[in-house]
Amino acid sequence: MENTLIKRGFILAALMNFSVVVFSRGFTNTAINSADPVVMSNFGLLMIVMWGLAYLCIGLSNSSAKWISAVFAVEKLIYVVIWILWHSENSVKAVYSEDILAGVFYSIYGLNDLIFMIFFVWVFYLSSKNKDVLPSTST
């Protein structure tokens, strides 16, 4: 059961990262870029997709998830902190007025990252306790 849940969690994390392609309208939505030109440039959005590919690789592999889960948790923590800082200095209402998809994106991406940060910490914890709690392609 835990193996299946972990595998699905990694795949869901990948799909959530891939959703940036929808929110950015295929990297053409300049409202996302202009609201945070450093973190959410088209390059930054592409890197979000690349992290998604990394999550997908772990979710579909039989390899150890322990240390890579720790790396993923730190990566998500960074995005959560950036999201909180962005909200403390910017208005999501202004982003909504420019583009609704960009507004939704800025409203939820930090919460999404927080949820998956907790998931990755949980996988790291389980992997530390029990080496058999890793994604498996046999389930």
Side-chain angles (χ1 to χ4, degrees):
M1 173 63 177
E2 284 179 345
N3 283 351
T4 300
L5 184 60
I6 289 170
K7 179 178 179 177
R8 289 180 181 163
F10 275 100
I11 293 169
L12 183 59
L15 293 174
M16 292 305 293
N17 274 44
F18 297 158
S19 75
V20 77
V21 175
V22 174
F23 286 107
S24 70
R25 292 188 173 98
F27 304 105
T28 65
N29 188 345
T30 58
I32 288 179
N33 305 133
S34 64
D36 190 345
V38 174
V39 178
M40 297 302 167
S41 65
N42 279 346
F43 175 77
L45 297 175
L46 180 60
M47 291 302 97
I48 291 170
V49 171
M50 295 305 299
W51 278 108
L53 289 171
Y55 306 151
L56 186 62
C57 288
I58 293 296
L60 298 177
S61 76
N62 289 320
S63 63
S64 172
K66 180 181 177 181
W67 290 109
I68 196 69
S69 293
V71 170
F72 292 160
V74 171
E75 176 257 342
K76 289 299 186 186
L77 175 63
I78 291 167
Y79 276 101
V80 169
V81 169
I82 293 297
W83 181 73
I84 291 168
L85 291 173
W86 185 89
H87 275 273
S88 71
E89 299 170 359
N90 297 278
S91 167
V92 74
K93 185 178 178 181
V95 179
Y96 271 103
S97 68
E98 189 174 343
D99 181 84
I100 193 150
L101 273 179
V104 171
F105 176 78
Y106 277 96
S107 294
I108 66 171
Y109 92 77
L111 297 174
N112 173 74
D113 287 340
L114 177 63
I115 290 165
F116 284 105
M117 180 187 76
I118 292 166
F119 168 75
F120 293 136
V121 168
W122 177 70
V123 172
F124 176 79
Y125 171 76
L126 288 178
S127 297
S128 295
K129 276 181 42 175
N130 179 1
K131 293 189 183 347
D132 294 330
V133 184
L134 301 173
S136 171
T137 55
S138 62
T139 56

